[in-house]
Amino acid sequence: MSQADPELLLRELDGWDWELCRRELPAVLPRLLISFQQGSGWLWERHTSGESEDWTEHIRILRILTEMFLPHISLEDVEQSFFSKVLPKTLQFFDKLMCELSSKAKGLSSQSTELCSTVRNLLQCCSQTVVQLLATLTGCVRRLCSGQELSLPSIHSLPSSVLCVVKTAFTHCKDSESVYYGHLHLISDLLQSMFKETYSLQKQLMELVDLISIDSASTEDDITYMVSVIHTVLEICSVISNMDHALHANTWKFIIKQSLKHHSLLQCHLKHSDILSGLCKDILLSFDSCLQLAEQMKVSEIQEGTDFRLFQKTVKLCRFFANSLVHYTKEFRACLSDSCSQLHQLFLQIYSKFPPSLYAPEILEIHQDEISQVFLVALDPLITQLLPFSPFMERVLSENLGLPPEQQLPQCLLLLTIMDKLSSQPEEVQTLWNTGKSLSLLSALFLSFQQCCGELSLPVCLPQVLSAGQPAVPITLYHYVCVHLCSFIASTLPSHFPQLERALLEAVLGSSMITSLLAMDSWCFLARYGTAELCAHHVNVIAHLVKAWPSDCSQVPALGVLLRRMLFLMAPEHQVEFAGEFPPEELENLAVWQHVSLRALSPDLRARVASQLCSAGLGRCRQWLNGGRALGGLPPVNTALSALLAACSSADAPLEAELKTSVLGVLSQFWSFLQAKQVSDEPCLQKTLCLLLHLLEVFIQALDAQLMTQVFALQSSLLQLHPPDHVRLAMLDFLSSMGKVFIPQEAQRQVVPQLSCLFASLLADQTWLIHQHALEAFTHFAEETRHEDVVPWCLNSEEAKNKVVNFLAKTRQVEETREARTERLKQERITWSAQVLKVDGELESTGEPVAKRACHPPSEEQYKAAVGTMEGAVEAVKLLLQKGPPPGWLAVKLEALHAAMATLRDSLR
């Protein structure tokens, strides 16, 4: 055996057999290691001077070491006597090889075919050396995978060294587009070989690491080392994410398996947020790929072939990632407090890109079903696992999420999913979500629901099973939320009823009408599903709120609607008790009864309540009419008129003649002093006018010529002053009812022209709501009226005629496509969101007391309105004197008013 020349030694070793290698190991191994370590620099120097064959020589020495002598070294000695000496130099050599490979690639930037061919040959030589080195390392690792458990100290250098090689090689393959410019095709086969060998090396290493055992007796250094291995593999995951599905999945499988295998030892050392972030990122990337492939197949109309098979593979990859996330979260949930935002965002981003989201791509239903049944089903258990986790609850129910428009519907659907799962959870979990920290689950749902204005307007539809044993059918978002909300209410524990009632009441009183309606529907379900006593209790509470709040409060109408609906659900005996709690004959209770439909009551109770309401309402009106008729006293009168309307419109049979005469007499007194200018200026008089018009609809058949003339004269004058929308809508309701009555002969000369002019003006109104209501009112009038000759007079232009004809034919003026409608709703949502932020900013408290309003002198218009009121009162008295003898106190009252007028006149001088 040669003692001096390394070349002779290497040639001599070519003929050695297995047994000879084992016997000569103590003598030969040290010499080979010295030759390998000292020769690395020497070989590299020779290579840089142009002798590239020395790469192969270096690989030859490494292969002899790993193939001929490594198998004979015991596990106890392999780290100290082999790996610690061989691997550092191997890493240096590999790094230099990769640098040389990248350096050679720069020659490919030339357009010269000859030069490119030369560079390829150099690259081929270099890359083949890399491949040989990778194969040698793979063999080295494979020899240790004998199936027996390994201790980490015995192979300490190997995993980290191999992982560095794997990461560098994969990174080179990933960056090949930029490294090789436009000449990737010249080197692609070489890169493919490098990729395959790196793949095999990583796979072998993962098998080796799986044999390593660490336990409670392991040192802190061993635990730290294992953690670093997992983190390095995590870095490799980010490199290979778009390179190969199987490789990517197996790499993640290794991370999850090793993390769970050593759970108790690694729990406090792993970078959980990085692992979770990587999983979430890869789930989203794979999900995006699924959607892109599905979208391509819809456009190409090809449902089979390569794209479809790739689509199925990608969906399964999504499922794998989802299962991995579920398993990891289950084991390490306690360590994931900082990752709840990522988990929340994962759900929101996935569902924002999937139907029925307005922002989802257009894909076929078959592909939707594939994604839903394979991937989304696998993700569903994650929500169940997170329900007991308080940080996740705090994140999902946060009051200031600041979500973009596309994530509002996903947030709503996530909350509904949580509601569906909550009933099967322990009481402490239900308490966690139903009490919340800043918001309860129900309050968060209502808040989220009102942000889904676009989806509610379209509306989007979701599948729902409405009957057991029947297939799911598409229903609107409102219907879907209502069904799930009612199911949640039915399962709510009695101890959580205070939170439930508070959330319902807040939603009813909120600024969103559609959310208020949802809360009312849910509350009515609760009234029917719960006990009769619970329903009666809620009705009493609502009635007391209505009674206590000022009539001009913007939230009272919503409570009134809820009260009206819930009274229908009360037991008859509780209705009697309600009438006793709020006696209709007492004036202070008119504020409650004005919102009630007496049709909800039993016939006997209905008749009694109607009679008492009429008496109390008429009394309040007469008191005001016979008094000073001050505008400040008008709100209670409006309440009385509203209660009268409730009583008269809900009556089963026509009112008694005497009562009808009394009501019409009081109504006539109001019309006798109303003036158009004053009504236009005073909101409280506008409300009075609307109530009077609605009352006249009830008594439309009993109107005499004089009252009808007064009513139309006032409406014609008022319409010229451009009254608000609610006044014009009341006018239209009244005009619609005119089809039921024959206009008296003596009133036709004045009323008919005014009637046609009113219809013509309102049909030409530019406000879409008024215009639509005008078309409905005119159609109803034209169908019923006996004055057929009036109908064409109302249509004073071809445009008006065409609009009525199109309305009757149900012809749409503009046919908007679903895509155009969706885009319009997206833009409207942006505008709406900006307006909400603006209003919220204006309402935000500054902590300073509100400044008092400056006192301004009365305007000329206010003086005119006051004088107009006095003139109207004088005219009303004149009309009353013409109808009959005055009461005895009238003369005294007129004298006092005369003296007051004189005092006012003198004060002006």
Side-chain angles (χ1 to χ4, degrees), residues 820-849:
R821 181 173 171 80
T822 300
E823 287 304 313
R824 176 173 59 78
L825 289 171
K826 288 180 184 178
Q827 295 303 315
E828 287 178 2
R829 166 178 265 164
I830 294 172
T831 305
W832 179 82
S833 299
Q835 182 63 26
V836 168
L837 289 174
K838 179 181 177 183
V839 172
D840 288 346
E842 291 172 353
L843 294 179
E844 188 174 353
S845 174
T846 61
E848 297 293 331

PDB file of all heavy atoms in Angstrom, residues 820-849:
ATOM      1  N   ALA A 820     -73.173  43.976 -15.148  1.00  0.00           N
ATOM      2  CA  ALA A 820     -73.208  45.434 -14.990  1.00  0.00           C
ATOM      3  C   ALA A 820     -73.798  45.823 -13.640  1.00  0.00           C
ATOM      4  O   ALA A 820     -73.328  46.749 -12.978  1.00  0.00           O
ATOM      5  CB  ALA A 820     -74.028  46.060 -16.119  1.00  0.00           C
ATOM      6  N   ARG A 821     -74.832  45.090 -13.227  1.00  0.00           N
ATOM      7  CA  ARG A 821     -75.452  45.368 -11.933  1.00  0.00           C
ATOM      8  C   ARG A 821     -74.467  45.100 -10.793  1.00  0.00           C
ATOM      9  O   ARG A 821     -74.382  45.876  -9.830  1.00  0.00           O
ATOM     10  CB  ARG A 821     -76.696  44.493 -11.777  1.00  0.00           C
ATOM     11  CG  ARG A 821     -77.451  44.699 -10.458  1.00  0.00           C
ATOM     12  CD  ARG A 821     -78.757  43.919 -10.491  1.00  0.00           C
ATOM     13  NE  ARG A 821     -79.416  43.900  -9.204  1.00  0.00           N
ATOM     14  CZ  ARG A 821     -80.155  44.883  -8.702  1.00  0.00           C
ATOM     15  NH1 ARG A 821     -80.311  45.984  -9.406  1.00  0.00           N
ATOM     16  NH2 ARG A 821     -80.728  44.780  -7.520  1.00  0.00           N
ATOM     17  N   THR A 822     -73.706  44.017 -10.908  1.00  0.00           N
ATOM     18  CA  THR A 822     -72.718  43.690  -9.881  1.00  0.00           C
ATOM     19  C   THR A 822     -71.672  44.786  -9.770  1.00  0.00           C
ATOM     20  O   THR A 822     -71.316  45.225  -8.670  1.00  0.00           O
ATOM     21  CB  THR A 822     -72.036  42.345 -10.199  1.00  0.00           C
ATOM     22  OG1 THR A 822     -73.025  41.320 -10.251  1.00  0.00           O
ATOM     23  CG2 THR A 822     -70.998  41.992  -9.156  1.00  0.00           C
ATOM     24  N   GLU A 823     -71.159  45.248 -10.914  1.00  0.00           N
ATOM     25  CA  GLU A 823     -70.151  46.312 -10.890  1.00  0.00           C
ATOM     26  C   GLU A 823     -70.725  47.606 -10.310  1.00  0.00           C
ATOM     27  O   GLU A 823     -70.046  48.317  -9.567  1.00  0.00           O
ATOM     28  CB  GLU A 823     -69.612  46.559 -12.304  1.00  0.00           C
ATOM     29  CG  GLU A 823     -68.688  45.468 -12.818  1.00  0.00           C
ATOM     30  CD  GLU A 823     -67.507  45.235 -11.881  1.00  0.00           C
ATOM     31  OE1 GLU A 823     -66.882  46.233 -11.460  1.00  0.00           O
ATOM     32  OE2 GLU A 823     -67.212  44.075 -11.574  1.00  0.00           O
ATOM     33  N   ARG A 824     -71.975  47.915 -10.658  1.00  0.00           N
ATOM     34  CA  ARG A 824     -72.601  49.128 -10.117  1.00  0.00           C
ATOM     35  C   ARG A 824     -72.726  49.037  -8.599  1.00  0.00           C
ATOM     36  O   ARG A 824     -72.460  50.011  -7.882  1.00  0.00           O
ATOM     37  CB  ARG A 824     -73.981  49.337 -10.750  1.00  0.00           C
ATOM     38  CG  ARG A 824     -74.737  50.530 -10.169  1.00  0.00           C
ATOM     39  CD  ARG A 824     -76.005  50.795 -10.945  1.00  0.00           C
ATOM     40  NE  ARG A 824     -76.915  49.671 -10.954  1.00  0.00           N
ATOM     41  CZ  ARG A 824     -77.708  49.349  -9.926  1.00  0.00           C
ATOM     42  NH1 ARG A 824     -77.687  50.053  -8.819  1.00  0.00           N
ATOM     43  NH2 ARG A 824     -78.532  48.317 -10.024  1.00  0.00           N
ATOM     44  N   LEU A 825     -73.123  47.870  -8.109  1.00  0.00           N
ATOM     45  CA  LEU A 825     -73.284  47.697  -6.667  1.00  0.00           C
ATOM     46  C   LEU A 825     -71.934  47.786  -5.944  1.00  0.00           C
ATOM     47  O   LEU A 825     -71.858  48.290  -4.816  1.00  0.00           O
ATOM     48  CB  LEU A 825     -73.946  46.346  -6.373  1.00  0.00           C
ATOM     49  CG  LEU A 825     -75.430  46.262  -6.758  1.00  0.00           C
ATOM     50  CD1 LEU A 825     -75.941  44.835  -6.629  1.00  0.00           C
ATOM     51  CD2 LEU A 825     -76.260  47.198  -5.892  1.00  0.00           C
ATOM     52  N   LYS A 826     -70.868  47.317  -6.598  1.00  0.00           N
ATOM     53  CA  LYS A 826     -69.536  47.452  -5.997  1.00  0.00           C
ATOM     54  C   LYS A 826     -69.180  48.924  -5.821  1.00  0.00           C
ATOM     55  O   LYS A 826     -68.659  49.341  -4.781  1.00  0.00           O
ATOM     56  CB  LYS A 826     -68.492  46.760  -6.871  1.00  0.00           C
ATOM     57  CG  LYS A 826     -68.543  45.241  -6.846  1.00  0.00           C
ATOM     58  CD  LYS A 826     -67.455  44.678  -7.752  1.00  0.00           C
ATOM     59  CE  LYS A 826     -67.528  43.165  -7.850  1.00  0.00           C
ATOM     60  NZ  LYS A 826     -66.497  42.626  -8.771  1.00  0.00           N
ATOM     61  N   GLN A 827     -69.453  49.720  -6.869  1.00  0.00           N
ATOM     62  CA  GLN A 827     -69.143  51.148  -6.783  1.00  0.00           C
ATOM     63  C   GLN A 827     -70.022  51.841  -5.749  1.00  0.00           C
ATOM     64  O   GLN A 827     -69.561  52.712  -5.007  1.00  0.00           O
ATOM     65  CB  GLN A 827     -69.330  51.803  -8.165  1.00  0.00           C
ATOM     66  CG  GLN A 827     -68.349  51.308  -9.225  1.00  0.00           C
ATOM     67  CD  GLN A 827     -66.903  51.501  -8.798  1.00  0.00           C
ATOM     68  OE1 GLN A 827     -66.526  52.562  -8.293  1.00  0.00           O
ATOM     69  NE2 GLN A 827     -66.088  50.473  -8.991  1.00  0.00           N
ATOM     70  N   GLU A 828     -71.299  51.451  -5.688  1.00  0.00           N
ATOM     71  CA  GLU A 828     -72.188  52.038  -4.687  1.00  0.00           C
ATOM     72  C   GLU A 828     -71.710  51.706  -3.277  1.00  0.00           C
ATOM     73  O   GLU A 828     -71.806  52.530  -2.374  1.00  0.00           O
ATOM     74  CB  GLU A 828     -73.612  51.525  -4.897  1.00  0.00           C
ATOM     75  CG  GLU A 828     -74.295  52.109  -6.117  1.00  0.00           C
ATOM     76  CD  GLU A 828     -75.683  51.545  -6.326  1.00  0.00           C
ATOM     77  OE1 GLU A 828     -76.131  50.715  -5.492  1.00  0.00           O
ATOM     78  OE2 GLU A 828     -76.348  51.929  -7.323  1.00  0.00           O
ATOM     79  N   ARG A 829     -71.195  50.490  -3.101  1.00  0.00           N
ATOM     80  CA  ARG A 829     -70.701  50.094  -1.776  1.00  0.00           C
ATOM     81  C   ARG A 829     -69.515  50.962  -1.362  1.00  0.00           C
ATOM     82  O   ARG A 829     -69.394  51.364  -0.208  1.00  0.00           O
ATOM     83  CB  ARG A 829     -70.289  48.631  -1.798  1.00  0.00           C
ATOM     84  CG  ARG A 829     -69.466  48.217  -0.588  1.00  0.00           C
ATOM     85  CD  ARG A 829     -69.112  46.756  -0.632  1.00  0.00           C
ATOM     86  NE  ARG A 829     -70.055  45.970   0.125  1.00  0.00           N
ATOM     87  CZ  ARG A 829     -70.177  44.651   0.031  1.00  0.00           C
ATOM     88  NH1 ARG A 829     -69.438  44.006  -0.825  1.00  0.00           N
ATOM     89  NH2 ARG A 829     -71.035  44.004   0.763  1.00  0.00           N
ATOM     90  N   ILE A 830     -68.634  51.271  -2.307  1.00  0.00           N
ATOM     91  CA  ILE A 830     -67.484  52.134  -1.999  1.00  0.00           C
ATOM     92  C   ILE A 830     -67.962  53.501  -1.544  1.00  0.00           C
ATOM     93  O   ILE A 830     -67.486  54.056  -0.545  1.00  0.00           O
ATOM     94  CB  ILE A 830     -66.559  52.250  -3.230  1.00  0.00           C
ATOM     95  CG1 ILE A 830     -65.921  50.883  -3.547  1.00  0.00           C
ATOM     96  CG2 ILE A 830     -65.489  53.300  -3.009  1.00  0.00           C
ATOM     97  CD1 ILE A 830     -65.160  50.851  -4.853  1.00  0.00           C
ATOM     98  N   THR A 831     -68.946  54.057  -2.275  1.00  0.00           N
ATOM     99  CA  THR A 831     -69.497  55.362  -1.908  1.00  0.00           C
ATOM    100  C   THR A 831     -70.160  55.302  -0.541  1.00  0.00           C
ATOM    101  O   THR A 831     -69.991  56.189   0.295  1.00  0.00           O
ATOM    102  CB  THR A 831     -70.519  55.814  -2.970  1.00  0.00           C
ATOM    103  OG1 THR A 831     -69.882  55.805  -4.253  1.00  0.00           O
ATOM    104  CG2 THR A 831     -71.040  57.199  -2.674  1.00  0.00           C
ATOM    105  N   TRP A 832     -70.926  54.237  -0.318  1.00  0.00           N
ATOM    106  CA  TRP A 832     -71.633  54.075   0.957  1.00  0.00           C
ATOM    107  C   TRP A 832     -70.651  53.960   2.113  1.00  0.00           C
ATOM    108  O   TRP A 832     -70.825  54.578   3.161  1.00  0.00           O
ATOM    109  CB  TRP A 832     -72.521  52.844   0.885  1.00  0.00           C
ATOM    110  CG  TRP A 832     -73.278  52.555   2.142  1.00  0.00           C
ATOM    111  CD1 TRP A 832     -74.447  53.117   2.551  1.00  0.00           C
ATOM    112  CD2 TRP A 832     -72.904  51.624   3.174  1.00  0.00           C
ATOM    113  NE1 TRP A 832     -74.829  52.590   3.768  1.00  0.00           N
ATOM    114  CE2 TRP A 832     -73.911  51.688   4.170  1.00  0.00           C
ATOM    115  CE3 TRP A 832     -71.841  50.755   3.352  1.00  0.00           C
ATOM    116  CZ2 TRP A 832     -73.862  50.903   5.317  1.00  0.00           C
ATOM    117  CZ3 TRP A 832     -71.786  49.983   4.495  1.00  0.00           C
ATOM    118  CH2 TRP A 832     -72.797  50.067   5.456  1.00  0.00           C
ATOM    119  N   SER A 833     -69.592  53.166   1.918  1.00  0.00           N
ATOM    120  CA  SER A 833     -68.599  52.988   2.983  1.00  0.00           C
ATOM    121  C   SER A 833     -67.919  54.308   3.316  1.00  0.00           C
ATOM    122  O   SER A 833     -67.682  54.623   4.488  1.00  0.00           O
ATOM    123  CB  SER A 833     -67.545  51.958   2.556  1.00  0.00           C
ATOM    124  OG  SER A 833     -68.143  50.710   2.314  1.00  0.00           O
ATOM    125  N   ALA A 834     -67.601  55.093   2.275  1.00  0.00           N
ATOM    126  CA  ALA A 834     -66.962  56.389   2.505  1.00  0.00           C
ATOM    127  C   ALA A 834     -67.886  57.321   3.282  1.00  0.00           C
ATOM    128  O   ALA A 834     -67.454  58.051   4.178  1.00  0.00           O
ATOM    129  CB  ALA A 834     -66.570  57.017   1.171  1.00  0.00           C
ATOM    130  N   GLN A 835     -69.184  57.276   2.951  1.00  0.00           N
ATOM    131  CA  GLN A 835     -70.143  58.134   3.650  1.00  0.00           C
ATOM    132  C   GLN A 835     -70.280  57.725   5.117  1.00  0.00           C
ATOM    133  O   GLN A 835     -70.363  58.570   6.006  1.00  0.00           O
ATOM    134  CB  GLN A 835     -71.507  58.054   2.952  1.00  0.00           C
ATOM    135  CG  GLN A 835     -72.592  58.938   3.564  1.00  0.00           C
ATOM    136  CD  GLN A 835     -72.260  60.414   3.483  1.00  0.00           C
ATOM    137  OE1 GLN A 835     -71.514  60.840   2.603  1.00  0.00           O
ATOM    138  NE2 GLN A 835     -72.786  61.196   4.402  1.00  0.00           N
ATOM    139  N   VAL A 836     -70.297  56.404   5.367  1.00  0.00           N
ATOM    140  CA  VAL A 836     -70.396  55.919   6.747  1.00  0.00           C
ATOM    141  C   VAL A 836     -69.192  56.374   7.563  1.00  0.00           C
ATOM    142  O   VAL A 836     -69.321  56.831   8.704  1.00  0.00           O
ATOM    143  CB  VAL A 836     -70.504  54.376   6.775  1.00  0.00           C
ATOM    144  CG1 VAL A 836     -70.324  53.844   8.181  1.00  0.00           C
ATOM    145  CG2 VAL A 836     -71.857  53.952   6.222  1.00  0.00           C
ATOM    146  N   LEU A 837     -67.992  56.274   6.955  1.00  0.00           N
ATOM    147  CA  LEU A 837     -66.784  56.717   7.657  1.00  0.00           C
ATOM    148  C   LEU A 837     -66.841  58.210   7.947  1.00  0.00           C
ATOM    149  O   LEU A 837     -66.435  58.665   9.014  1.00  0.00           O
ATOM    150  CB  LEU A 837     -65.548  56.395   6.811  1.00  0.00           C
ATOM    151  CG  LEU A 837     -65.175  54.911   6.699  1.00  0.00           C
ATOM    152  CD1 LEU A 837     -64.039  54.732   5.712  1.00  0.00           C
ATOM    153  CD2 LEU A 837     -64.774  54.369   8.062  1.00  0.00           C
ATOM    154  N   LYS A 838     -67.379  58.971   6.996  1.00  0.00           N
ATOM    155  CA  LYS A 838     -67.486  60.418   7.181  1.00  0.00           C
ATOM    156  C   LYS A 838     -68.423  60.747   8.330  1.00  0.00           C
ATOM    157  O   LYS A 838     -68.122  61.560   9.200  1.00  0.00           O
ATOM    158  CB  LYS A 838     -67.984  61.064   5.882  1.00  0.00           C
ATOM    159  CG  LYS A 838     -68.150  62.570   5.980  1.00  0.00           C
ATOM    160  CD  LYS A 838     -68.679  63.132   4.667  1.00  0.00           C
ATOM    161  CE  LYS A 838     -68.916  64.640   4.797  1.00  0.00           C
ATOM    162  NZ  LYS A 838     -69.505  65.190   3.546  1.00  0.00           N
ATOM    163  N   VAL A 839     -69.577  60.082   8.347  1.00  0.00           N
ATOM    164  CA  VAL A 839     -70.558  60.328   9.414  1.00  0.00           C
ATOM    165  C   VAL A 839     -70.005  59.907  10.764  1.00  0.00           C
ATOM    166  O   VAL A 839     -70.132  60.612  11.762  1.00  0.00           O
ATOM    167  CB  VAL A 839     -71.873  59.578   9.111  1.00  0.00           C
ATOM    168  CG1 VAL A 839     -72.823  59.660  10.295  1.00  0.00           C
ATOM    169  CG2 VAL A 839     -72.539  60.173   7.869  1.00  0.00           C
ATOM    170  N   ASP A 840     -69.337  58.720  10.795  1.00  0.00           N
ATOM    171  CA  ASP A 840     -68.754  58.259  12.051  1.00  0.00           C
ATOM    172  C   ASP A 840     -67.712  59.237  12.572  1.00  0.00           C
ATOM    173  O   ASP A 840     -67.607  59.486  13.771  1.00  0.00           O
ATOM    174  CB  ASP A 840     -68.117  56.877  11.857  1.00  0.00           C
ATOM    175  CG  ASP A 840     -69.161  55.793  11.690  1.00  0.00           C
ATOM    176  OD1 ASP A 840     -70.342  56.072  11.987  1.00  0.00           O
ATOM    177  OD2 ASP A 840     -68.819  54.685  11.244  1.00  0.00           O
ATOM    178  N   GLY A 841     -66.938  59.808  11.630  1.00  0.00           N
ATOM    179  CA  GLY A 841     -65.933  60.778  12.047  1.00  0.00           C
ATOM    180  C   GLY A 841     -66.543  62.041  12.613  1.00  0.00           C
ATOM    181  O   GLY A 841     -66.044  62.630  13.565  1.00  0.00           O
ATOM    182  N   GLU A 842     -67.676  62.456  12.028  1.00  0.00           N
ATOM    183  CA  GLU A 842     -68.341  63.663  12.516  1.00  0.00           C
ATOM    184  C   GLU A 842     -68.969  63.433  13.881  1.00  0.00           C
ATOM    185  O   GLU A 842     -69.046  64.333  14.717  1.00  0.00           O
ATOM    186  CB  GLU A 842     -69.412  64.103  11.518  1.00  0.00           C
ATOM    187  CG  GLU A 842     -68.824  64.613  10.206  1.00  0.00           C
ATOM    188  CD  GLU A 842     -69.906  64.866   9.163  1.00  0.00           C
ATOM    189  OE1 GLU A 842     -71.076  64.506   9.438  1.00  0.00           O
ATOM    190  OE2 GLU A 842     -69.597  65.421   8.096  1.00  0.00           O
ATOM    191  N   LEU A 843     -69.426  62.184  14.121  1.00  0.00           N
ATOM    192  CA  LEU A 843     -70.109  61.887  15.379  1.00  0.00           C
ATOM    193  C   LEU A 843     -69.151  61.539  16.504  1.00  0.00           C
ATOM    194  O   LEU A 843     -69.539  61.478  17.660  1.00  0.00           O
ATOM    195  CB  LEU A 843     -71.087  60.716  15.178  1.00  0.00           C
ATOM    196  CG  LEU A 843     -72.261  60.988  14.243  1.00  0.00           C
ATOM    197  CD1 LEU A 843     -73.113  59.733  14.119  1.00  0.00           C
ATOM    198  CD2 LEU A 843     -73.109  62.150  14.737  1.00  0.00           C
ATOM    199  N   GLU A 844     -67.892  61.293  16.153  1.00  0.00           N
ATOM    200  CA  GLU A 844     -66.936  60.872  17.178  1.00  0.00           C
ATOM    201  C   GLU A 844     -66.756  61.975  18.205  1.00  0.00           C
ATOM    202  O   GLU A 844     -66.528  63.138  17.885  1.00  0.00           O
ATOM    203  CB  GLU A 844     -65.595  60.548  16.523  1.00  0.00           C
ATOM    204  CG  GLU A 844     -64.612  59.925  17.494  1.00  0.00           C
ATOM    205  CD  GLU A 844     -63.348  59.490  16.782  1.00  0.00           C
ATOM    206  OE1 GLU A 844     -63.316  59.561  15.548  1.00  0.00           O
ATOM    207  OE2 GLU A 844     -62.401  59.103  17.469  1.00  0.00           O
ATOM    208  N   SER A 845     -66.854  61.599  19.442  1.00  0.00           N
ATOM    209  CA  SER A 845     -66.772  62.577  20.526  1.00  0.00           C
ATOM    210  C   SER A 845     -65.354  63.096  20.683  1.00  0.00           C
ATOM    211  O   SER A 845     -64.390  62.362  20.599  1.00  0.00           O
ATOM    212  CB  SER A 845     -67.229  61.936  21.837  1.00  0.00           C
ATOM    213  OG  SER A 845     -67.024  62.813  22.913  1.00  0.00           O
ATOM    214  N   THR A 846     -65.240  64.385  20.913  1.00  0.00           N
ATOM    215  CA  THR A 846     -63.927  64.989  21.132  1.00  0.00           C
ATOM    216  C   THR A 846     -63.602  65.123  22.597  1.00  0.00           C
ATOM    217  O   THR A 846     -62.528  65.555  22.979  1.00  0.00           O
ATOM    218  CB  THR A 846     -63.893  66.386  20.492  1.00  0.00           C
ATOM    219  OG1 THR A 846     -64.900  67.191  21.116  1.00  0.00           O
ATOM    220  CG2 THR A 846     -64.151  66.316  19.009  1.00  0.00           C
ATOM    221  N   GLY A 847     -64.547  64.783  23.466  1.00  0.00           N
ATOM    222  CA  GLY A 847     -64.310  64.912  24.898  1.00  0.00           C
ATOM    223  C   GLY A 847     -64.602  66.295  25.432  1.00  0.00           C
ATOM    224  O   GLY A 847     -64.528  66.550  26.632  1.00  0.00           O
ATOM    225  N   GLU A 848     -64.936  67.252  24.543  1.00  0.00           N
ATOM    226  CA  GLU A 848     -65.254  68.612  24.965  1.00  0.00           C
ATOM    227  C   GLU A 848     -66.765  68.796  24.964  1.00  0.00           C
ATOM    228  O   GLU A 848     -67.477  68.207  24.164  1.00  0.00           O
ATOM    229  CB  GLU A 848     -64.622  69.628  23.992  1.00  0.00           C
ATOM    230  CG  GLU A 848     -63.099  69.570  23.954  1.00  0.00           C
ATOM    231  CD  GLU A 848     -62.486  70.029  25.263  1.00  0.00           C
ATOM    232  OE1 GLU A 848     -63.108  70.867  25.939  1.00  0.00           O
ATOM    233  OE2 GLU A 848     -61.404  69.551  25.625  1.00  0.00           O
ATOM    234  N   PRO A 849     -67.287  69.671  25.849  1.00  0.00           N
ATOM    235  CA  PRO A 849     -68.726  69.931  25.840  1.00  0.00           C
ATOM    236  C   PRO A 849     -69.143  70.593  24.544  1.00  0.00           C
ATOM    237  O   PRO A 849     -68.383  71.354  23.942  1.00  0.00           O
ATOM    238  CB  PRO A 849     -68.932  70.867  27.041  1.00  0.00           C
ATOM    239  CG  PRO A 849     -67.585  71.460  27.313  1.00  0.00           C
ATOM    240  CD  PRO A 849     -66.592  70.427  26.903  1.00  0.00           C
TER     241      PRO A 849
END
